[in-house]
Amino acid sequence: CLLDSARRHGFTIVYTREASLPDLSDLSDSKRLRYENAGYPVGTPGRMGRLLVRGEPGCAILAELAPQPGDLQCDKPGQSAFVGTDLESTLRERGVTHLLLCGVTTQCCVLATYRHAADLGFFPLLLEDCCAAFSPRDHQAAVDVVVSEGGAVGWVTTLDHLLEAL
């Protein structure tokens, strides 16, 4: 419903994936250590290929959400979609100033991208019911961070409210 509506309104749609280069040359020592300590070392083989590596089946976008012609795809070596990518310059070249953020995981990549976007001067809006985390508690904690300090950190809404406004 969100994708269909965004396409009908001519929005730029960006798919992001946290995925390192196959040779892991863009994997920082810090990230390598953090992910190893968390129990999922980047680049290790698994049922869906090497973990968090570009081109592996586990990094594929779900078929029912497949990008359409004109959609952008952004593979990112970190949690924020703006680190190690040309996303900022691409959005600025297209005149994009406002961002609708959704996806997984709310407390990790979505929140990192949200905060980075705000720091870069974009106007991000978190669609809380279009995000997910490993636990409802983690999801709610991330939403609470965005609306904390009376909204000084950012803005949150639901898909229904967005569709109503559109």
Side-chain angles (χ1 to χ4, degrees), residues 51-79:
L51 182 65
L52 295 177
V53 173
R54 293 181 195 181
E56 297 290 332
C59 283
I61 295 172
L62 299 173
E64 58 268 28
L65 300 174
Q68 302 297 310
D71 293 347
L72 303 176
Q73 293 184 55
C74 177
D75 288 316
K76 55 192 182 72
Q79 295 165 359

Side-chain angles (χ1 to χ4, degrees), residues 1-3 65 100-106 110 125-133 139 143 156-160 162-163:
C1 186
L2 173 60
L3 278 172
L65 300 174
L100 302 172
L101 277 88
C102 58
V104 293
T105 52
T106 318
V110 175
L125 177 62
L126 181 71
L127 299 174
E128 68 177 307
D129 55 343
C130 296
C131 297
H139 170 77
V143 171
V156 174
T157 195
T158 63
L159 179 59
D160 285 342
L162 173 69
L163 295 177

